[in-house]
Amino acid sequence: PSSTEYKKLDPDRLLTGRPTANIFAQHANFDHAFLKDHIFNPSKTFTILRSPVSQFSSAFSFFEITKLYPADTFEESLKLFFSSHMHDKYLINTYFCKNCAMMVNANSIDMGLNIEEYFKSADQDKYLSNFLEQASQTWDLVLITEHFDLSLVLLKRRFCLEFEDILYLRSLERTKKDKVEDPSLLAKI
Protein backbone atom coordinates (compact mmCIF):
# COMPACT_ATOMS: atom_id res chain seq x y z
CA PRO A 1 0.00 0.00 0.00
CA SER A 2 1.17 3.49 -0.77
CA SER A 3 -0.76 5.08 2.06
CA THR A 4 -3.78 4.61 4.25
CA GLU A 5 -5.71 6.77 6.58
CA TYR A 6 -5.38 5.92 10.25
CA LYS A 7 -8.31 3.75 11.37
CA LYS A 8 -9.34 2.81 7.84
CA LEU A 9 -7.76 0.74 5.11
CA ASP A 10 -8.77 2.01 1.69
CA PRO A 11 -8.28 -0.12 -1.46
CA ASP A 12 -8.26 3.03 -3.63
CA ARG A 13 -5.00 4.08 -1.98
CA LEU A 14 -3.05 0.94 -2.89
CA LEU A 15 -0.19 1.03 -5.37
CA THR A 16 -1.30 -0.09 -8.81
CA GLY A 17 0.48 -2.42 -11.21
CA ARG A 18 1.17 -5.08 -8.58
CA PRO A 19 -1.40 -7.64 -7.50
CA THR A 20 -0.21 -7.72 -3.89
CA ALA A 21 2.21 -5.97 -1.59
CA ASN A 22 5.03 -7.76 0.17
CA ILE A 23 5.01 -5.56 3.26
CA PHE A 24 2.41 -3.51 5.06
CA ALA A 25 3.55 -1.13 7.78
CA GLN A 26 0.89 1.33 8.82
CA HIS A 27 -0.92 2.39 11.96
CA ALA A 28 -4.47 1.36 11.18
CA ASN A 29 -7.18 -0.80 12.65
CA PHE A 30 -6.45 -4.39 11.74
CA ASP A 31 -8.74 -5.71 9.03
CA HIS A 32 -7.78 -9.33 8.38
CA ALA A 33 -10.03 -9.77 5.32
CA PHE A 34 -8.68 -6.60 3.65
CA LEU A 35 -5.06 -7.55 4.23
CA LYS A 36 -5.62 -11.14 3.13
CA ASP A 37 -6.93 -9.80 -0.21
CA HIS A 38 -4.06 -7.34 -0.70
CA ILE A 39 -0.96 -8.86 0.91
CA PHE A 40 1.09 -11.76 -0.42
CA ASN A 41 0.19 -15.03 1.27
CA PRO A 42 1.51 -16.76 3.18
CA SER A 43 2.38 -13.66 5.14
CA LYS A 44 3.73 -13.22 8.65
CA THR A 45 1.92 -10.88 10.99
CA PHE A 46 3.12 -9.02 14.02
CA THR A 47 1.82 -6.10 15.98
CA ILE A 48 2.93 -3.92 18.83
CA LEU A 49 0.92 -3.36 21.98
CA ARG A 50 1.33 -0.79 24.68
CA SER A 51 0.49 -0.70 28.36
CA PRO A 52 -3.12 0.55 28.56
CA VAL A 53 -2.08 3.19 31.10
CA SER A 54 0.74 4.42 28.89
CA GLN A 55 -1.52 4.33 25.81
CA PHE A 56 -4.27 6.31 27.52
CA SER A 57 -1.90 8.91 28.99
CA SER A 58 -0.09 9.33 25.68
CA ALA A 59 -3.32 9.76 23.70
CA PHE A 60 -4.67 12.17 26.33
CA SER A 61 -1.56 14.28 25.81
CA PHE A 62 -1.18 13.83 22.02
CA PHE A 63 -4.82 14.68 21.24
CA GLU A 64 -4.58 17.63 23.64
CA ILE A 65 -7.51 16.52 25.78
CA THR A 66 -5.87 18.63 28.51
CA LYS A 67 -7.31 21.69 26.72
CA LEU A 68 -10.81 20.43 27.54
CA TYR A 69 -9.82 19.92 31.20
CA PRO A 70 -7.35 22.74 31.97
CA ALA A 71 -5.30 22.40 35.14
CA ASP A 72 -1.86 23.24 36.49
CA THR A 73 -0.51 19.73 35.89
CA PHE A 74 -1.15 16.82 33.57
CA GLU A 75 -2.28 14.66 36.52
CA GLU A 76 -4.76 17.32 37.65
CA SER A 77 -6.17 17.51 34.12
CA LEU A 78 -6.66 13.71 34.15
CA LYS A 79 -8.41 13.93 37.52
CA LEU A 80 -10.80 16.55 36.12
CA PHE A 81 -11.45 14.32 33.13
CA PHE A 82 -12.35 11.33 35.31
CA SER A 83 -14.52 13.41 37.62
CA SER A 84 -16.53 14.69 34.65
CA HIS A 85 -20.07 13.32 34.51
CA MET A 86 -20.00 13.74 30.74
CA HIS A 87 -17.21 11.18 30.58
CA ASP A 88 -19.36 8.54 32.30
CA LYS A 89 -22.38 9.45 30.19
CA TYR A 90 -20.49 8.94 26.94
CA LEU A 91 -19.04 5.64 28.09
CA ILE A 92 -22.46 4.31 29.09
CA ASN A 93 -24.50 5.63 26.16
CA THR A 94 -22.11 5.48 23.20
CA TYR A 95 -19.59 2.73 24.08
CA PHE A 96 -16.78 5.25 23.97
CA CYS A 97 -16.20 8.67 25.42
CA LYS A 98 -16.48 11.47 22.86
CA ASN A 99 -13.71 13.38 24.59
CA CYS A 100 -11.39 10.38 24.76
CA ALA A 101 -11.74 9.49 21.09
CA MET A 102 -10.37 5.96 20.88
CA MET A 103 -8.23 6.09 24.01
CA VAL A 104 -10.34 3.47 25.77
CA ASN A 105 -9.47 -0.09 24.67
CA ALA A 106 -7.17 1.30 21.97
CA ASN A 107 -5.02 -1.84 21.75
CA SER A 108 -8.04 -4.09 21.25
CA ILE A 109 -9.63 -1.75 18.73
CA ASP A 110 -6.39 -1.48 16.76
CA MET A 111 -6.25 -5.29 16.68
CA GLY A 112 -9.72 -5.40 15.11
CA LEU A 113 -12.15 -5.56 18.04
CA ASN A 114 -15.45 -3.98 17.08
CA ILE A 115 -16.25 -2.25 20.36
CA GLU A 116 -19.87 -1.53 19.43
CA GLU A 117 -20.52 -5.16 18.46
CA TYR A 118 -18.88 -6.23 21.72
CA PHE A 119 -21.15 -4.04 23.87
CA LYS A 120 -24.26 -5.05 21.94
CA SER A 121 -23.39 -8.74 22.10
CA ALA A 122 -25.78 -10.94 24.10
CA ASP A 123 -22.77 -12.84 25.48
CA GLN A 124 -19.85 -10.42 25.89
CA ASP A 125 -17.62 -13.05 27.49
CA LYS A 126 -18.04 -15.34 24.48
CA TYR A 127 -17.55 -12.45 22.03
CA LEU A 128 -14.31 -11.48 23.76
CA SER A 129 -13.17 -15.08 24.00
CA ASN A 130 -13.74 -15.55 20.25
CA PHE A 131 -11.86 -12.32 19.52
CA LEU A 132 -8.89 -13.42 21.64
CA GLU A 133 -8.85 -16.88 20.05
CA GLN A 134 -8.85 -15.34 16.57
CA ALA A 135 -6.08 -12.94 17.59
CA SER A 136 -3.93 -15.79 18.92
CA GLN A 137 -4.25 -17.52 15.53
CA THR A 138 -3.62 -14.34 13.54
CA TRP A 139 -0.46 -12.87 15.10
CA ASP A 140 2.90 -14.60 14.70
CA LEU A 141 4.48 -12.22 17.19
CA VAL A 142 3.30 -9.47 19.53
CA LEU A 143 5.81 -6.77 20.44
CA ILE A 144 5.52 -4.68 23.61
CA THR A 145 6.24 -0.95 23.44
CA GLU A 146 7.57 -0.75 26.99
CA HIS A 147 10.11 -3.47 26.05
CA PHE A 148 10.75 -2.24 22.53
CA ASP A 149 14.44 -3.11 22.23
CA LEU A 150 13.88 -6.65 23.53
CA SER A 151 10.84 -6.98 21.26
CA LEU A 152 12.97 -6.04 18.25
CA VAL A 153 15.49 -8.73 19.17
CA LEU A 154 12.64 -11.26 19.30
CA LEU A 155 11.40 -9.97 15.93
CA LYS A 156 14.91 -10.36 14.47
CA ARG A 157 15.16 -13.94 15.73
CA ARG A 158 11.62 -15.00 14.79
CA PHE A 159 11.86 -13.70 11.22
CA CYS A 160 15.60 -14.31 10.60
CA LEU A 161 16.39 -10.62 10.17
CA GLU A 162 19.72 -8.83 10.38
CA PHE A 163 20.53 -6.15 12.96
CA GLU A 164 20.41 -3.51 10.23
CA ASP A 165 16.77 -4.55 9.65
CA ILE A 166 15.77 -3.55 13.18
CA LEU A 167 17.67 -0.28 13.62
CA TYR A 168 15.45 2.68 14.46
CA LEU A 169 15.43 6.32 15.56
CA ARG A 170 13.04 7.52 18.24
CA SER A 171 10.46 10.12 17.28
CA LEU A 172 7.37 11.70 18.83
CA GLU A 173 8.48 10.57 22.26
CA ARG A 174 6.41 12.06 25.08
CA THR A 175 8.04 14.34 27.59
CA LYS A 176 8.39 13.26 31.21
CA LYS A 177 6.17 16.16 32.37
CA ASP A 178 3.13 14.12 31.36
CA LYS A 179 3.94 11.27 33.70
CA VAL A 180 1.21 9.91 35.96
CA GLU A 181 2.25 8.77 39.46
CA ASP A 182 -0.91 8.96 41.59
CA PRO A 183 -1.89 5.31 42.36
CA SER A 184 -5.64 6.04 42.46
CA LEU A 185 -5.43 7.79 39.08
CA LEU A 186 -3.43 4.93 37.59
CA ALA A 187 -6.13 2.53 38.77
CA LYS A 188 -8.84 4.61 37.07
CA ILE A 189 -6.96 4.65 33.79
Side-chain angles (χ1 to χ4, degrees):
S2 60
S3 175
T4 64
E5 297 299 322
Y6 175 66
K7 300 289 182 202
K8 183 176 183 213
L9 301 174
D10 184 354
D12 294 333
R13 309 237 8 210
L14 295 174
L15 291 172
T16 58
R18 293 177 61 185
T20 60
N22 61 5
I23 189 168
F24 177 82
Q26 180 68 36
H27 187 188
N29 289 99
F30 184 68
D31 182 340
H32 193 250
F34 177 90
L35 292 177
K36 197 172 184 180
D37 288 345
H38 295 92
I39 301 291
F40 174 77
N41 281 311
S43 60
K44 298 291 183 187
T45 58
F46 65 94
T47 188
I48 185 160
L49 299 181
R50 189 174 192 176
S51 152
V53 171
S54 174
Q55 171 70 33
F56 186 92
S57 298
S58 176
F60 195 89
S61 175
F62 182 81
F63 294 115
E64 299 181 330
I65 307 301
T66 52
K67 289 181 178 178
L68 298 172
Y69 302 92
D72 291 335
T73 67
F74 182 74
E75 272 195 354
E76 291 301 318
S77 182
L78 277 169
K79 287 177 183 177
L80 287 172
F81 170 79
F82 281 112
S83 67
S84 164
H85 295 295
M86 293 306 288
H87 169 71
D88 291 337
K89 178 183 173 190
Y90 283 118
L91 285 173
I92 292 166
N93 295 333
T94 65
Y95 314 114
F96 67 93
C97 172
K98 181 175 96 173
N99 292 338
C100 21
M102 287 298 197
M103 295 187 301
V104 178
N105 295 315
N107 287 326
S108 300
I109 292 167
D110 284 346
M111 291 180 70
L113 178 73
N114 184 319
I115 198 77
E116 190 170 348
E117 282 182 13
Y118 166 73
F119 278 110
K120 290 180 177 178
S121 172
D123 187 347
Q124 291 179 347
D125 288 341
K126 184 175 181 181
Y127 187 95
L128 190 57
S129 179
N130 289 341
F131 168 76
L132 293 172
E133 178 61 32
Q134 181 181 2
S136 72
Q137 294 175 12
T138 299
W139 302 104
D140 295 301
L141 181 64
V142 176
L143 310 177
I144 306 297
T145 301
E146 289 75 17
H147 302 284
F148 192 68
D149 292 336
L150 179 59
S151 290
L152 287 178
V153 171
L154 290 172
L155 177 72
K156 175 191 173 295
R157 290 180 178 173
R158 176 68 58 94
F159 297 119
C160 302
L161 302 173
E162 300 295 327
F163 275 112
E164 65 187 23
D165 297 324
I166 63 170
L167 292 176
Y168 69 97
L169 296 173
R170 292 180 182 267
S171 67
L172 297 176
E173 192 169 12
R174 276 191 320 131
T175 61
K176 297 296 180 199
K177 70 179 180 178
D178 293 340
K179 191 170 183 175
V180 178
E181 296 178 351
D182 181 331
S184 64
L185 190 54
L186 290 169
K188 285 183 180 180
I189 294 173

